[in-house]
């Protein structure tokens, strides 16, 4: 790899965004940052822009536009939702890294595809809400989409050189989160601080709660369905508390391939940018003798109701995964605000799915309308 890649990072100030900039910093000749966006952390965005000299940045909170503009007189500064969508739609980059959180990340994915820009996708919610639609666009615009999510990066790597018809099933691994061994009777008392305390991964607040409810695994099964073009029956979950095996593929002859590594998102982020190369890094390497043992167990679907909700949503299809995703997101924010209990998260999602008007083949405008309906529904429930 000798040609410099121009990259935009949407959601640069988040957990994935900051890790992506760490990767970029280590290969200044290979990667050039062209666009950066942030929602509200103007100070960090300014700091990043001063270091990486992008052509333009966008700050979501329009009240902070003046502050960013004054700090970056040489840089084009945009703001608000339109600023984000504008930068997502620019075609003068090679790869757009979507490190946005939640349903807000879906339209930027679509804009980049329509601009013919390849995507490194961390925002799994894009595919959960609009997987079928996005796959159609990828084909139409001949755009490549590379997964950043560690499980999907693992499956992608296991599938390189293989024939799709030889796949028996995908096995998505999950740590089980902080409540893997907590009895179901105690779930009612789970506090926000307990739920934010993930055993293996340091991540943004929304995905950390998704990991505690295990909705994250459910969303990842839906993500895998669209990324790898396989039905839900061919996607299983296994709990692996050490988070060393990031996922596996089982083939028809009984052979199973796995991808291993320390739980550090910099590895799959870099691979999505450096594919097909695995570029050298000095970060801590996997030492299996130090890890000692790798263990596995079946997921507890009675305790973690969100997993079953996601499988059901995939089976029902149409608009159900849209409502599942948005209802989950809104319920998670209400839990983080201490307005609802941990157990209320799957309850509210179920209520929203039952109450919504089913659409068999949602188009983009249906998806956006359902997003608004679901947000309002959860806020008043
Ligand atoms: P985060 O909350 O740390 O960062 C989110 C970023 O998006 C920030 O830069 C923020 O400014 C921006 N943002 C937030 N709300 C926005 C909005 N409404 N409009 C525009 N921008 C907005 O999140 P994260 O943990 O980095 O996760 C990002 C995505 O990556 C999520 O989809 C998550 O599921 C996925 N992911 C994260 C990890 C991880 O280790 N953090 C691992 C796998 C997948
Ligand atoms: Mg993951």
């Amino acid at each position: 790899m000798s040609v410099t890649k121009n990259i935009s990072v949407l959601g640069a100030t988040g957990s994935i965004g900051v890790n992506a900039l760490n990767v970029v910093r280590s290969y200044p000749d290979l990667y050039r940052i062209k666009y950066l966006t942030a929602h509200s952390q103007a100070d960090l965005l300014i700091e990043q822009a001063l270091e990486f000299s992008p052509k333009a940045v966008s700050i979501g909170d329009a009240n902070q536009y003046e502050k960013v503009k004054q700090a970056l007189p040489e840089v084009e500064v945009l703001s608000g939702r339109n600023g984000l969508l504008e930068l997502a739609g620019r075609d003068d980059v090679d790869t757009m890294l979507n490190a946005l959180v939640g349903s807000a990340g879906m339209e930027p994915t679509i804009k980049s595809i329509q601009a013919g820009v390849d995507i490194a996708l961390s925002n799994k919610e894009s595919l959960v809400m609009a997987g079928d639609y996005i796959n159609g666009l990828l084909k139409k615009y001949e755009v490549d989409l590379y997964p950043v999510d560690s499980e999907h990066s693992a499956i992608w790597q296991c599938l390189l050189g293989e024939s799709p018809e030889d796949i028996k099933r995908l096995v998505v691994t999950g740590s089980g989160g902080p409540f893997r061994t907590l009895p179901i009777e105690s779930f009612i008392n789970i506090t926000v601080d307990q739920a934010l305390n993930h055993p293996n991964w340091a991540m943004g607040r929304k995905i950390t709660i998704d990991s505690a409810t295990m909705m994250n695994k459910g969303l990842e099964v839906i993500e895998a369905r669209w990324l790898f073009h396989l039905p839900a029956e061919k996607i299983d979950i296994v709990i692996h508390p050490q988070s060393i095996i990031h996922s596996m593929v089982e083939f028809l002859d009984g052979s199973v391939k796995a991808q291993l590594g320390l739980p550090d998102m910099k590895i799959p982020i870099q691979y999505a940018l450096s594919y097909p190369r695995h570029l050298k890094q000095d970060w801590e390497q996997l030492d299996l003798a130090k890890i000692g043992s790798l263990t596995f167990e079946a997921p507890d679907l009675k305790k973690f109701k969100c997993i079953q909700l996601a499988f059901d949503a995939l089976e029902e299809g149409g608009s159900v995964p849209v409502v599942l995703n948005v209802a989950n997101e809104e319920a998670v924010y209400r839990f983080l605000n201490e307005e609802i209990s941990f157990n209320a998260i799957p309850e509210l999602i179920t209520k929203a799915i039952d109450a919504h008007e089913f659409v068999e083949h949602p188009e983009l405008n249906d998806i956006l309308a359902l997003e608004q309906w679901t947000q309002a529904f959860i806020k008043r429930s």
Side-chain angles (χ1 to χ4, degrees):
M1 285 191 19
S2 52
V3 187
T4 306
K5 248 188 198 179
N6 286 307
I7 293 176
S8 59
V9 181
L10 309 186
T13 52
S15 163
I16 292 291
V18 166
N19 271 314
L21 292 179
N22 285 332
V23 167
V24 166
R25 183 180 293 117
S26 65
Y27 278 102
D29 297 340
L30 291 186
Y31 307 120
R32 190 183 172 283
I33 294 296
K34 200 126 186 203
Y35 302 119
L36 295 173
T37 81
H39 197 47
S40 56
Q41 285 183 270
D43 291 328
L44 182 53
L45 179 69
I46 292 166
E47 197 184 301
Q48 292 174 336
L50 290 172
E51 178 181 353
F52 291 96
S53 307
K55 186 173 163 200
V57 301
S58 185
I59 178 80
D61 175 7
N63 292 326
Q64 300 192 70
Y65 170 85
E66 283 303 330
K67 175 180 178 173
V68 177
K69 186 65 209 161
Q70 271 177 19
L72 305 171
E74 314 278 297
V75 179
E76 180 189 357
V77 180
L78 295 89
S79 67
R81 180 77 183 158
N82 286 339
L84 169 66
L85 294 176
E86 155 80 28
L87 293 189
R90 295 227 178 145
D91 62 4
D92 56 349
V93 288
D94 300 295
T95 305
M96 181 276 265
L97 172 70
N98 188 338
L100 299 163
V101 62
S103 55
M106 180 193 68
E107 275 185 287
T109 299
I110 291 168
K111 292 268 181 224
S112 285
I113 300 172
Q114 289 169 334
V117 171
D118 289 342
I119 295 178
L121 186 73
S122 191
N123 180 262
K124 62 191 83 186
E125 294 91 344
S126 290
L127 285 177
V128 174
M129 292 173 75
D132 201 17
Y133 180 76
I134 286 172
N135 276 349
L137 290 181
L138 290 172
K139 222 177 190 171
K140 179 171 168 193
Y141 291 92
E142 295 177 8
V143 161
D144 289 322
L145 186 149
Y146 303 116
V148 168
D149 215 349
S150 56
E151 295 76 7
H152 306 76
S153 180
I155 293 167
W156 173 32
Q157 293 177 57
C158 291
L159 286 175
L160 290 174
E162 303 292 352
S163 300
E165 63 267 31
D166 294 349
I167 303 169
K168 187 170 172 196
R169 62 179 184 133
L170 309 180
V171 182
V172 177
T173 55
S175 70
F179 307 127
R180 180 174 61 89
T181 58
L182 188 77
I184 191 167
E185 303 75 45
S186 307
F187 271 42
I188 191 71
N189 299 319
I190 288 173
T191 65
V192 171
D193 283 347
Q194 288 167 337
L196 281 174
N197 188 18
H198 195 279
N200 302 349
W201 297 94
M203 310 179 285
R205 284 158 67 87
K206 190 251 177 190
I207 184 176
T208 302
I209 301 303
D210 285 347
S211 301
T213 63
M214 292 205 66
M215 177 57 96
N216 187 47
K217 267 328 111 183
L219 300 179
E220 289 181 349
V221 166
I222 302 177
E223 183 186 9
R225 187 260 171 273
W226 298 114
L227 277 173
F228 304 110
H229 311 281
L230 288 168
E233 308 84 76
K234 291 194 176 183
I235 309 172
D236 288 337
I237 297 171
V238 71
I239 302 305
H240 165 47
Q242 297 81 19
S243 296
I244 297 297
I245 292 183
H246 296 306
S247 278
M248 300 175 254
V249 178
E250 186 176 335
F251 296 93
L252 292 175
D253 59 0
S255 171
V256 179
K257 279 167 86 172
Q259 187 264 345
L260 288 73
L262 288 172
D264 181 343
M265 286 306 294
K266 290 198 294 301
I267 301 174
I269 291 169
Q270 171 165 294
Y271 191 65
L273 299 177
S274 68
Y275 166 80
R277 299 286 310 277
H278 289 275
L279 297 179
K280 184 179 179 342
Q281 284 288 358
D282 292 331
W283 50 51
E284 192 188 349
Q285 309 282 309
L286 177 62
D287 179 346
L288 281 175
K290 204 161 121 192
I291 305 272
S293 60
L294 302 180
T295 61
F296 306 93
E297 58 197 64
D300 186 338
L301 301 189
K302 289 209 174 67
K303 239 165 77 170
F304 297 102
K305 297 192 171 65
C306 288
I307 301 178
Q308 190 63 51
L309 286 177
F311 271 108
D312 292 347
L314 197 46
E315 195 182 319
E316 287 157 42
S319 51
V320 180
V322 181
V323 178
L324 172 96
N325 184 70
V326 180
N328 173 61
E329 189 170 319
E330 291 302 318
V332 165
Y333 290 128
R334 291 197 65 187
F335 171 71
L336 282 168
N337 287 337
E338 299 183 333
E339 294 168 24
I340 63 168
S341 70
F342 190 77
N343 285 345
I345 297 173
E347 286 166 16
L348 286 184
I349 298 167
T350 307
K351 260 174 98 173
I353 290 173
D354 290 346
H356 94 284
E357 215 166 292
F358 182 74
V359 185
E360 178 109 42
H361 296 290
E363 296 288 326
L364 184 57
N365 51 350
D366 299 315
I367 294 173
L368 293 171
L370 271 165
E371 180 187 357
Q372 285 199 355
W373 178 88
T374 309
Q375 284 168 345
F377 182 89
I378 297 294
K379 283 194 178 107
R380 65 168 187 266
S381 292

